[in-house]
Amino acid sequence: GGVYRTDPKEEEMTVSGGFTQTIDWLAFTLPKAEVADVITLIGGDWFQSETGFRGYPVAQLMTEGKTGVGKLGTGAPRNPKEVHVDLSAGIVSQWDETKLKTVLAWIFAQKGHVTRIDVALDDREATVAVETVRQAVEAGQVVSRSKQFKVIQASNHRQGVRTGETLYFGSRESQSMLRVYDKRLELQSRGREDAASYGVRWEMEFKQDRAQACAKALLTLDPEDWRAFLVGVLRSYVDFRETTREAESYEKYRAPLLAWWEGLTEGFRRCRLVVERIQQRLDDVVAWFAHALSPMLAVVVACRGDQFLTEMIYAGTKRWNQKHYALLKQRKKVVTPYVLHLKPRT
């Protein structure tokens, strides 16, 4: 489960090469649901938030690794039983095909609505550079329904090193948007050990009705038709052809495809749905704990005493699962001490 394959050649292909796809974000709203049922479906360790979320006064949070964040909101006065959930890439990209389809089927069975879903198509070997795409746009060789296009460059000002360039087609306010960027550079700047296995990412963000349609297609289509659907959606949004900005519209749509674009989309038609394996680092957990929980922990100890804290720690060991045991194995490694930088109150 979790990986779409089409032929024997793909069986030999490693994740570090070829073309792959991942689900990079999932958000949905349920008109009526029990929070406990939603949490059981998604899994993970959730805790009550001190603040609301997207206008919902009651919220719960869940973290997974360094980048995985889940947010759940409910209790809105207009409909107290309504539940809204946002799940970032660090969570949903680790779901296999069975888990993903189980969640989507349950959402639709509850008459829920998928409000956002992001699909990332990865050109793992970077056969087409981001610069190639930008130059084609500047040359007027893009045929797109969207008139908006912008480029955002990122750099590390301390090291004087450019960390990437992202091309945006469309706007955040529309129901569809496309981002093209060098995923390898982004992960290298964040210190990810697996950065070399990535290349250029084409990330499609769908919202509202288009998110719902995309989610239903993912749930109902077989792998081959799902890939064809994705490439069709991508090409209906942007197409790169041997044309110019001055050409008439009918001439642009009849012009032959640029060779690199034809090869890239053909590669995406053979892509595999992969399950990301993001290992949680003990250093990251320690840093998150110290930053997020230390103030509330101090309140608990001040009110209940050290004995309550000892009892709570003992009870926590009884709830360890595979994730916690994996972190426990890292205790033999050198762990960077986390130092709290306390600012004096004025």
Short mmCIF file of all heavy atoms in Angstrom, two decimals, residues 270-328:
data_model
loop_
_atom_site.label_atom_id
_atom_site.label_comp_id
_atom_site.label_asym_id
_atom_site.label_seq_id
_atom_site.Cartn_x
_atom_site.Cartn_y
_atom_site.Cartn_z
N ARG A 270 3.55 8.68 -15.31
CA ARG A 270 4.03 7.41 -14.80
C ARG A 270 4.42 7.49 -13.32
O ARG A 270 5.01 6.56 -12.78
CB ARG A 270 5.27 6.95 -15.60
CG ARG A 270 5.04 6.82 -17.10
CD ARG A 270 6.23 6.09 -17.74
NE ARG A 270 7.51 6.71 -17.39
CZ ARG A 270 8.09 7.70 -18.08
NH1 ARG A 270 7.48 8.19 -19.15
NH2 ARG A 270 9.26 8.19 -17.70
N CYS A 271 4.13 8.64 -12.70
CA CYS A 271 4.63 8.85 -11.34
C CYS A 271 3.96 7.91 -10.33
O CYS A 271 2.92 7.32 -10.60
CB CYS A 271 4.40 10.31 -10.91
SG CYS A 271 2.67 10.77 -10.69
N ARG A 272 4.62 7.80 -9.19
CA ARG A 272 4.14 6.91 -8.13
C ARG A 272 3.71 7.73 -6.92
O ARG A 272 4.32 8.75 -6.60
CB ARG A 272 5.26 5.95 -7.71
CG ARG A 272 5.82 5.12 -8.83
CD ARG A 272 7.21 4.60 -8.47
NE ARG A 272 8.15 5.70 -8.29
CZ ARG A 272 9.05 5.74 -7.32
NH1 ARG A 272 9.12 4.79 -6.43
NH2 ARG A 272 9.89 6.76 -7.22
N LEU A 273 2.67 7.30 -6.25
CA LEU A 273 2.28 7.91 -4.99
C LEU A 273 3.17 7.32 -3.90
O LEU A 273 3.13 6.13 -3.63
CB LEU A 273 0.81 7.62 -4.67
CG LEU A 273 0.31 8.13 -3.31
CD1 LEU A 273 0.35 9.66 -3.27
CD2 LEU A 273 -1.09 7.63 -3.03
N VAL A 274 4.04 8.16 -3.32
CA VAL A 274 4.97 7.66 -2.33
C VAL A 274 4.56 8.12 -0.93
O VAL A 274 3.88 9.12 -0.76
CB VAL A 274 6.42 8.12 -2.61
CG1 VAL A 274 6.91 7.59 -3.93
CG2 VAL A 274 6.53 9.64 -2.57
N VAL A 275 4.99 7.35 0.04
CA VAL A 275 4.76 7.67 1.44
C VAL A 275 6.05 8.24 2.00
O VAL A 275 7.09 7.59 1.97
CB VAL A 275 4.34 6.41 2.24
CG1 VAL A 275 4.13 6.76 3.71
CG2 VAL A 275 3.08 5.80 1.64
N GLU A 276 6.00 9.48 2.46
CA GLU A 276 7.18 10.10 3.05
C GLU A 276 7.49 9.44 4.39
O GLU A 276 6.58 9.13 5.16
CB GLU A 276 6.94 11.60 3.27
CG GLU A 276 6.70 12.37 1.97
CD GLU A 276 7.98 12.65 1.21
OE1 GLU A 276 9.05 12.24 1.69
OE2 GLU A 276 7.90 13.27 0.14
N ARG A 277 8.76 9.24 4.65
CA ARG A 277 9.19 8.72 5.95
C ARG A 277 10.05 9.79 6.61
O ARG A 277 11.24 9.89 6.35
CB ARG A 277 9.99 7.42 5.78
CG ARG A 277 9.18 6.29 5.17
CD ARG A 277 7.97 5.95 6.01
NE ARG A 277 7.20 4.84 5.45
CZ ARG A 277 5.98 4.51 5.84
NH1 ARG A 277 5.38 5.21 6.78
NH2 ARG A 277 5.36 3.48 5.28
N ILE A 278 9.43 10.60 7.43
CA ILE A 278 10.13 11.70 8.09
C ILE A 278 10.43 11.29 9.53
O ILE A 278 9.53 11.17 10.36
CB ILE A 278 9.28 12.99 8.08
CG1 ILE A 278 8.88 13.34 6.64
CG2 ILE A 278 10.04 14.14 8.73
CD1 ILE A 278 7.91 14.49 6.53
N GLN A 279 11.69 11.03 9.80
CA GLN A 279 12.07 10.59 11.14
C GLN A 279 12.16 11.78 12.09
O GLN A 279 12.79 12.78 11.81
CB GLN A 279 13.43 9.86 11.12
CG GLN A 279 13.81 9.29 12.48
CD GLN A 279 15.08 8.48 12.42
OE1 GLN A 279 15.68 8.35 11.37
NE2 GLN A 279 15.47 7.91 13.54
N GLN A 280 11.49 11.63 13.20
CA GLN A 280 11.51 12.67 14.22
C GLN A 280 12.84 12.66 14.95
O GLN A 280 13.33 11.61 15.34
CB GLN A 280 10.36 12.43 15.20
CG GLN A 280 9.90 13.66 15.95
CD GLN A 280 8.61 13.38 16.70
OE1 GLN A 280 8.28 12.25 17.00
NE2 GLN A 280 7.89 14.43 17.02
N ARG A 281 13.44 13.83 15.14
CA ARG A 281 14.71 13.92 15.84
C ARG A 281 14.49 14.30 17.30
O ARG A 281 13.65 15.15 17.61
CB ARG A 281 15.62 14.95 15.18
CG ARG A 281 16.01 14.63 13.76
CD ARG A 281 17.17 15.48 13.31
NE ARG A 281 16.96 16.89 13.67
CZ ARG A 281 17.94 17.79 13.68
NH1 ARG A 281 19.17 17.43 13.39
NH2 ARG A 281 17.69 19.05 14.00
N LEU A 282 15.26 13.66 18.17
CA LEU A 282 15.12 13.92 19.59
C LEU A 282 15.41 15.38 19.91
O LEU A 282 14.74 15.99 20.76
CB LEU A 282 16.06 13.00 20.38
CG LEU A 282 15.93 13.05 21.91
CD1 LEU A 282 14.51 12.74 22.35
CD2 LEU A 282 16.91 12.06 22.54
N ASP A 283 16.41 15.96 19.25
CA ASP A 283 16.73 17.38 19.47
C ASP A 283 15.53 18.27 19.18
O ASP A 283 15.26 19.23 19.90
CB ASP A 283 17.89 17.79 18.57
CG ASP A 283 19.25 17.43 19.18
OD1 ASP A 283 19.24 16.80 20.25
OD2 ASP A 283 20.28 17.77 18.60
N ASP A 284 14.80 17.96 18.10
CA ASP A 284 13.64 18.76 17.73
C ASP A 284 12.53 18.64 18.77
O ASP A 284 11.84 19.61 19.09
CB ASP A 284 13.12 18.35 16.35
CG ASP A 284 14.12 18.62 15.25
OD1 ASP A 284 14.93 19.55 15.41
OD2 ASP A 284 14.11 17.88 14.24
N VAL A 285 12.33 17.42 19.27
CA VAL A 285 11.30 17.20 20.28
C VAL A 285 11.63 17.97 21.55
O VAL A 285 10.76 18.62 22.16
CB VAL A 285 11.16 15.69 20.60
CG1 VAL A 285 10.18 15.47 21.75
CG2 VAL A 285 10.68 14.94 19.36
N VAL A 286 12.89 17.92 21.96
CA VAL A 286 13.32 18.64 23.17
C VAL A 286 13.11 20.15 22.99
O VAL A 286 12.60 20.83 23.90
CB VAL A 286 14.80 18.33 23.49
CG1 VAL A 286 15.31 19.23 24.61
CG2 VAL A 286 14.96 16.87 23.87
N ALA A 287 13.48 20.66 21.83
CA ALA A 287 13.33 22.10 21.58
C ALA A 287 11.86 22.50 21.59
O ALA A 287 11.48 23.53 22.16
CB ALA A 287 13.98 22.46 20.24
N TRP A 288 11.01 21.69 20.93
CA TRP A 288 9.58 21.99 20.90
C TRP A 288 8.98 21.94 22.31
O TRP A 288 8.21 22.82 22.71
CB TRP A 288 8.85 20.98 20.01
CG TRP A 288 7.36 21.07 20.14
CD1 TRP A 288 6.53 21.96 19.52
CD2 TRP A 288 6.53 20.25 20.96
NE1 TRP A 288 5.24 21.76 19.92
CE2 TRP A 288 5.20 20.71 20.80
CE3 TRP A 288 6.77 19.19 21.82
CZ2 TRP A 288 4.14 20.14 21.47
CZ3 TRP A 288 5.71 18.61 22.49
CH2 TRP A 288 4.41 19.08 22.31
N PHE A 289 9.36 20.94 23.09
CA PHE A 289 8.83 20.79 24.44
C PHE A 289 9.20 22.01 25.29
O PHE A 289 8.35 22.58 25.99
CB PHE A 289 9.38 19.52 25.07
CG PHE A 289 8.84 19.22 26.44
CD1 PHE A 289 7.72 18.43 26.60
CD2 PHE A 289 9.45 19.75 27.57
CE1 PHE A 289 7.21 18.17 27.87
CE2 PHE A 289 8.95 19.50 28.84
CZ PHE A 289 7.83 18.70 28.99
N ALA A 290 10.47 22.41 25.22
CA ALA A 290 10.93 23.53 26.03
C ALA A 290 10.25 24.83 25.63
O ALA A 290 9.89 25.66 26.47
CB ALA A 290 12.44 23.67 25.91
N HIS A 291 10.03 25.01 24.33
CA HIS A 291 9.44 26.25 23.85
C HIS A 291 7.93 26.31 24.08
O HIS A 291 7.40 27.32 24.54
CB HIS A 291 9.73 26.42 22.36
CG HIS A 291 9.08 27.62 21.75
ND1 HIS A 291 9.52 28.91 21.96
CD2 HIS A 291 7.98 27.74 20.94
CE1 HIS A 291 8.75 29.76 21.32
NE2 HIS A 291 7.81 29.08 20.69
N ALA A 292 7.25 25.20 23.80
CA ALA A 292 5.78 25.23 23.81
C ALA A 292 5.17 24.88 25.17
O ALA A 292 4.12 25.41 25.53
CB ALA A 292 5.24 24.26 22.74
N LEU A 293 5.80 23.99 25.91
CA LEU A 293 5.15 23.46 27.11
C LEU A 293 5.74 23.93 28.44
O LEU A 293 5.08 23.77 29.47
CB LEU A 293 5.17 21.93 27.07
CG LEU A 293 4.40 21.26 25.94
CD1 LEU A 293 4.43 19.75 26.11
CD2 LEU A 293 2.96 21.74 25.88
N SER A 294 6.95 24.46 28.43
CA SER A 294 7.58 24.80 29.71
C SER A 294 6.79 25.81 30.54
O SER A 294 6.71 25.65 31.77
CB SER A 294 9.02 25.29 29.48
OG SER A 294 9.05 26.42 28.64
N PRO A 295 6.16 26.85 29.95
CA PRO A 295 5.39 27.78 30.79
C PRO A 295 4.22 27.08 31.50
O PRO A 295 4.00 27.28 32.70
CB PRO A 295 4.88 28.82 29.79
CG PRO A 295 5.84 28.76 28.65
CD PRO A 295 6.21 27.32 28.54
N MET A 296 3.48 26.24 30.75
CA MET A 296 2.33 25.56 31.35
C MET A 296 2.79 24.49 32.33
O MET A 296 2.14 24.25 33.36
CB MET A 296 1.48 24.92 30.23
CG MET A 296 0.08 24.52 30.70
SD MET A 296 -0.85 25.90 31.40
CE MET A 296 -1.09 26.91 29.93
N LEU A 297 3.93 23.86 32.04
CA LEU A 297 4.47 22.85 32.95
C LEU A 297 4.83 23.50 34.29
O LEU A 297 4.60 22.92 35.36
CB LEU A 297 5.70 22.20 32.32
CG LEU A 297 6.36 21.07 33.12
CD1 LEU A 297 5.40 19.90 33.27
CD2 LEU A 297 7.64 20.62 32.43
N ALA A 298 5.38 24.70 34.24
CA ALA A 298 5.73 25.42 35.46
C ALA A 298 4.48 25.72 36.29
O ALA A 298 4.50 25.63 37.53
CB ALA A 298 6.46 26.71 35.12
N VAL A 299 3.38 26.05 35.62
CA VAL A 299 2.12 26.31 36.34
C VAL A 299 1.62 25.05 37.02
O VAL A 299 1.20 25.06 38.19
CB VAL A 299 1.05 26.85 35.36
CG1 VAL A 299 -0.31 26.95 36.04
CG2 VAL A 299 1.47 28.20 34.81
N VAL A 300 1.67 23.93 36.30
CA VAL A 300 1.20 22.65 36.86
C VAL A 300 2.00 22.26 38.10
O VAL A 300 1.44 21.88 39.13
CB VAL A 300 1.27 21.54 35.79
CG1 VAL A 300 0.98 20.17 36.41
CG2 VAL A 300 0.29 21.82 34.66
N VAL A 301 3.32 22.37 38.00
CA VAL A 301 4.17 22.00 39.14
C VAL A 301 3.94 22.95 40.31
O VAL A 301 3.91 22.52 41.47
CB VAL A 301 5.66 22.02 38.71
CG1 VAL A 301 6.57 21.82 39.92
CG2 VAL A 301 5.91 20.94 37.67
N ALA A 302 3.76 24.24 40.02
CA ALA A 302 3.51 25.20 41.09
C ALA A 302 2.21 24.91 41.83
O ALA A 302 2.10 25.12 43.04
CB ALA A 302 3.49 26.61 40.51
N CYS A 303 1.21 24.41 41.09
CA CYS A 303 -0.10 24.14 41.70
C CYS A 303 -0.21 22.74 42.29
O CYS A 303 -0.88 22.54 43.32
CB CYS A 303 -1.20 24.34 40.65
SG CYS A 303 -1.33 26.02 40.03
N ARG A 304 0.42 21.75 41.65
CA ARG A 304 0.26 20.35 42.08
C ARG A 304 1.50 19.75 42.73
O ARG A 304 1.43 18.69 43.33
CB ARG A 304 -0.14 19.49 40.88
CG ARG A 304 -1.47 19.89 40.24
CD ARG A 304 -2.65 19.57 41.16
NE ARG A 304 -3.91 19.88 40.53
CZ ARG A 304 -4.59 19.06 39.74
NH1 ARG A 304 -4.11 17.85 39.48
NH2 ARG A 304 -5.74 19.42 39.21
N GLY A 305 2.65 20.35 42.53
CA GLY A 305 3.87 19.85 43.13
C GLY A 305 4.63 18.87 42.26
O GLY A 305 4.12 18.38 41.24
N ASP A 306 5.87 18.57 42.66
CA ASP A 306 6.74 17.69 41.88
C ASP A 306 6.20 16.27 41.80
O ASP A 306 6.43 15.57 40.81
CB ASP A 306 8.15 17.67 42.48
CG ASP A 306 8.84 19.01 42.35
OD1 ASP A 306 8.35 19.84 41.58
OD2 ASP A 306 9.88 19.21 43.01
N GLN A 307 5.50 15.82 42.82
CA GLN A 307 5.00 14.44 42.84
C GLN A 307 4.02 14.19 41.70
O GLN A 307 4.04 13.14 41.07
CB GLN A 307 4.34 14.13 44.20
CG GLN A 307 3.85 12.70 44.36
CD GLN A 307 4.96 11.67 44.21
OE1 GLN A 307 6.11 11.93 44.59
NE2 GLN A 307 4.64 10.52 43.65
N PHE A 308 3.16 15.18 41.45
CA PHE A 308 2.20 15.04 40.34
C PHE A 308 2.94 14.90 39.01
O PHE A 308 2.55 14.10 38.16
CB PHE A 308 1.29 16.27 40.29
CG PHE A 308 0.33 16.26 39.13
CD1 PHE A 308 -0.82 15.49 39.17
CD2 PHE A 308 0.60 16.99 37.97
CE1 PHE A 308 -1.70 15.47 38.08
CE2 PHE A 308 -0.27 16.97 36.90
CZ PHE A 308 -1.42 16.21 36.96
N LEU A 309 4.04 15.66 38.85
CA LEU A 309 4.82 15.58 37.62
C LEU A 309 5.44 14.19 37.46
O LEU A 309 5.42 13.61 36.36
CB LEU A 309 5.92 16.65 37.64
CG LEU A 309 6.84 16.72 36.42
CD1 LEU A 309 6.04 17.03 35.16
CD2 LEU A 309 7.93 17.78 36.63
N THR A 310 5.94 13.63 38.56
CA THR A 310 6.53 12.29 38.52
C THR A 310 5.48 11.26 38.12
O THR A 310 5.73 10.37 37.30
CB THR A 310 7.13 11.93 39.88
OG1 THR A 310 8.12 12.91 40.23
CG2 THR A 310 7.76 10.55 39.85
N GLU A 311 4.28 11.37 38.68
CA GLU A 311 3.19 10.45 38.35
C GLU A 311 2.78 10.58 36.89
O GLU A 311 2.48 9.58 36.22
CB GLU A 311 2.00 10.71 39.27
CG GLU A 311 2.26 10.39 40.74
CD GLU A 311 1.13 10.84 41.64
OE1 GLU A 311 0.16 11.43 41.11
OE2 GLU A 311 1.20 10.60 42.87
N MET A 312 2.77 11.80 36.39
CA MET A 312 2.37 12.04 35.00
C MET A 312 3.40 11.43 34.05
O MET A 312 3.04 10.84 33.02
CB MET A 312 2.24 13.54 34.75
CG MET A 312 1.70 13.90 33.37
SD MET A 312 1.33 15.67 33.21
CE MET A 312 2.98 16.36 33.45
N ILE A 313 4.69 11.56 34.38
CA ILE A 313 5.74 10.98 33.54
C ILE A 313 5.62 9.46 33.51
O ILE A 313 5.73 8.82 32.46
CB ILE A 313 7.13 11.41 34.05
CG1 ILE A 313 7.32 12.91 33.83
CG2 ILE A 313 8.24 10.62 33.35
CD1 ILE A 313 8.59 13.46 34.46
N TYR A 314 5.36 8.87 34.68
CA TYR A 314 5.21 7.41 34.75
C TYR A 314 4.02 6.95 33.91
O TYR A 314 4.11 5.97 33.17
CB TYR A 314 5.04 6.97 36.21
CG TYR A 314 4.77 5.48 36.36
CD1 TYR A 314 5.81 4.56 36.23
CD2 TYR A 314 3.49 5.00 36.60
CE1 TYR A 314 5.59 3.21 36.34
CE2 TYR A 314 3.25 3.64 36.72
CZ TYR A 314 4.30 2.75 36.59
OH TYR A 314 4.06 1.41 36.70
N ALA A 315 2.91 7.68 34.00
CA ALA A 315 1.72 7.32 33.22
C ALA A 315 2.00 7.45 31.72
O ALA A 315 1.50 6.68 30.91
CB ALA A 315 0.55 8.21 33.62
N GLY A 316 2.85 8.43 31.35
CA GLY A 316 3.17 8.63 29.94
C GLY A 316 3.93 7.47 29.34
O GLY A 316 3.75 7.14 28.16
N THR A 317 4.78 6.82 30.14
CA THR A 317 5.53 5.68 29.62
C THR A 317 4.62 4.52 29.24
O THR A 317 4.96 3.70 28.39
CB THR A 317 6.57 5.18 30.66
OG1 THR A 317 5.87 4.72 31.83
CG2 THR A 317 7.53 6.29 31.03
N LYS A 318 3.45 4.45 29.84
CA LYS A 318 2.50 3.38 29.54
C LYS A 318 1.81 3.60 28.19
O LYS A 318 1.15 2.69 27.68
CB LYS A 318 1.44 3.29 30.64
CG LYS A 318 2.02 3.05 32.04
CD LYS A 318 2.83 1.77 32.10
CE LYS A 318 3.40 1.54 33.50
NZ LYS A 318 4.24 0.31 33.55
N ARG A 319 1.97 4.79 27.62
CA ARG A 319 1.32 5.11 26.35
C ARG A 319 2.32 5.18 25.20
O ARG A 319 2.00 5.64 24.11
CB ARG A 319 0.58 6.46 26.47
CG ARG A 319 -0.55 6.44 27.48
CD ARG A 319 -1.04 7.85 27.77
NE ARG A 319 -1.40 8.54 26.54
CZ ARG A 319 -1.59 9.86 26.48
NH1 ARG A 319 -1.41 10.61 27.55
NH2 ARG A 319 -1.93 10.43 25.34
N TRP A 320 3.55 4.75 25.46
CA TRP A 320 4.54 4.77 24.39
C TRP A 320 4.12 3.87 23.23
O TRP A 320 3.58 2.77 23.43
CB TRP A 320 5.90 4.28 24.92
CG TRP A 320 6.66 5.33 25.67
CD1 TRP A 320 6.36 6.65 25.76
CD2 TRP A 320 7.85 5.14 26.45
NE1 TRP A 320 7.29 7.31 26.54
CE2 TRP A 320 8.21 6.41 26.97
CE3 TRP A 320 8.63 4.03 26.75
CZ2 TRP A 320 9.32 6.59 27.77
CZ3 TRP A 320 9.75 4.22 27.55
CH2 TRP A 320 10.10 5.48 28.06
N ASN A 321 4.37 4.34 22.01
CA ASN A 321 4.14 3.53 20.81
C ASN A 321 5.43 3.48 19.99
O ASN A 321 6.50 3.86 20.49
CB ASN A 321 2.97 4.08 19.98
CG ASN A 321 3.16 5.55 19.61
OD1 ASN A 321 4.28 6.01 19.43
ND2 ASN A 321 2.07 6.29 19.50
N GLN A 322 5.33 3.04 18.75
CA GLN A 322 6.52 2.87 17.91
C GLN A 322 7.29 4.17 17.74
O GLN A 322 8.53 4.19 17.74
CB GLN A 322 6.10 2.32 16.54
CG GLN A 322 7.28 1.98 15.63
CD GLN A 322 6.80 1.37 14.32
OE1 GLN A 322 5.61 1.17 14.11
NE2 GLN A 322 7.74 1.08 13.44
N LYS A 323 6.57 5.29 17.61
CA LYS A 323 7.22 6.59 17.44
C LYS A 323 8.08 6.93 18.65
O LYS A 323 9.20 7.43 18.52
CB LYS A 323 6.14 7.66 17.23
CG LYS A 323 6.68 9.08 17.17
CD LYS A 323 5.55 10.07 17.00
CE LYS A 323 4.65 10.13 18.22
NZ LYS A 323 3.60 11.17 18.08
N HIS A 324 7.55 6.68 19.85
CA HIS A 324 8.28 7.02 21.07
C HIS A 324 9.50 6.12 21.26
O HIS A 324 10.56 6.59 21.70
CB HIS A 324 7.34 6.92 22.28
CG HIS A 324 6.14 7.81 22.18
ND1 HIS A 324 4.88 7.34 21.89
CD2 HIS A 324 6.02 9.16 22.31
CE1 HIS A 324 4.04 8.35 21.87
NE2 HIS A 324 4.70 9.46 22.11
N TYR A 325 9.37 4.84 20.92
CA TYR A 325 10.51 3.94 21.05
C TYR A 325 11.62 4.31 20.06
O TYR A 325 12.81 4.15 20.36
CB TYR A 325 10.07 2.49 20.84
CG TYR A 325 9.32 1.92 22.02
CD1 TYR A 325 7.98 1.58 21.91
CD2 TYR A 325 9.94 1.75 23.26
CE1 TYR A 325 7.28 1.07 23.00
CE2 TYR A 325 9.26 1.25 24.35
CZ TYR A 325 7.92 0.90 24.22
OH TYR A 325 7.24 0.42 25.30
N ALA A 326 11.23 4.81 18.87
CA ALA A 326 12.23 5.25 17.89
C ALA A 326 13.02 6.44 18.43
O ALA A 326 14.24 6.54 18.25
CB ALA A 326 11.55 5.61 16.58
N LEU A 327 12.33 7.35 19.12
CA LEU A 327 13.02 8.49 19.72
C LEU A 327 13.93 8.03 20.86
O LEU A 327 15.02 8.57 21.06
CB LEU A 327 11.99 9.49 20.25
CG LEU A 327 11.29 10.36 19.21
CD1 LEU A 327 10.11 11.10 19.84
CD2 LEU A 327 12.26 11.36 18.60
N LEU A 328 13.47 7.04 21.59
CA LEU A 328 14.22 6.55 22.74
C LEU A 328 15.57 5.99 22.31
O LEU A 328 16.57 6.12 23.03
CB LEU A 328 13.40 5.47 23.47
CG LEU A 328 13.75 5.20 24.94
CD1 LEU A 328 13.55 6.44 25.78
CD2 LEU A 328 12.90 4.05 25.47
#
